Amino acid sequence: MRGKIQSISNLRMEPPDGRRVDEKARFSDEQIVKIVRESQAHGVPATAGKYQVSEQTIYIWKRKFGTMDVSQVAELKKTQTENARLKNCSQNGTWESKS
């Protein structure tokens, strides 16, 4: 039994969004919104082939960004950044003005 114990260092933890830890995003959120719009106009299989992603990826993006336009995605990203900053300030006890 001794030789069959697997080291914890060999295990990979997957982040909540399903990507591997060392995997870099190929498309920005704004690009994804444009790709989703294109898939609605030209079909998912054609769009998936053009951008070399799976059809399932297009459907996942459609579920996440389906009703948003590019300006809304930028606003969402800005809000998420501000929320992260405020959360960090509340945990550290440092409330500074963003000037």
Side-chain angles (χ1 to χ4, degrees):
M1 288 301 270
R2 279 191 177 173
K4 294 186 179 188
I5 297 175
Q6 186 177 9
S7 158
I8 291 179
S9 64
N10 292 340
L11 300 176
R12 287 194 154 214
M13 297 297 294
E14 299 291 328
D17 65 358
R19 290 185 312 162
R20 292 195 345 235
V21 175
D22 59 347
E23 185 178 332
K24 183 181 175 210
R26 288 177 39 200
F27 302 102
S28 70
D29 291 345
E30 291 84 1
Q31 290 172 321
I32 290 171
V33 168
K34 291 177 182 177
I35 292 170
V36 168
R37 294 290 169 257
E38 185 176 329
S39 75
Q40 291 170 343
H42 301 290
V44 172
T47 306
K50 178 179 177 182
Y51 293 100
Q52 297 180 346
V53 296
S54 70
E55 291 179 27
Q56 186 62 37
T57 298
I58 301 276
Y59 289 117
I60 290 169
W61 290 345
K62 191 181 283 191
R63 187 175 54 224
K64 184 175 180 182
F65 298 106
T67 60
M68 293 184 178
D69 62 6
V70 176
S71 63
Q72 289 173 320
V73 171
E75 184 64 29
L76 174 65
K77 194 180 294 185
K78 181 180 171 185
T79 303
Q80 288 173 335
T81 302
E82 181 67 10
N83 286 344
R85 186 185 71 80
L86 291 172
K87 183 177 180 180
N88 188 30
C89 287
S90 69
Q91 289 175 347
N92 293 338
T94 58
W95 294 97
E96 297 178 8
S97 169
K98 182 182 173 188
S99 300

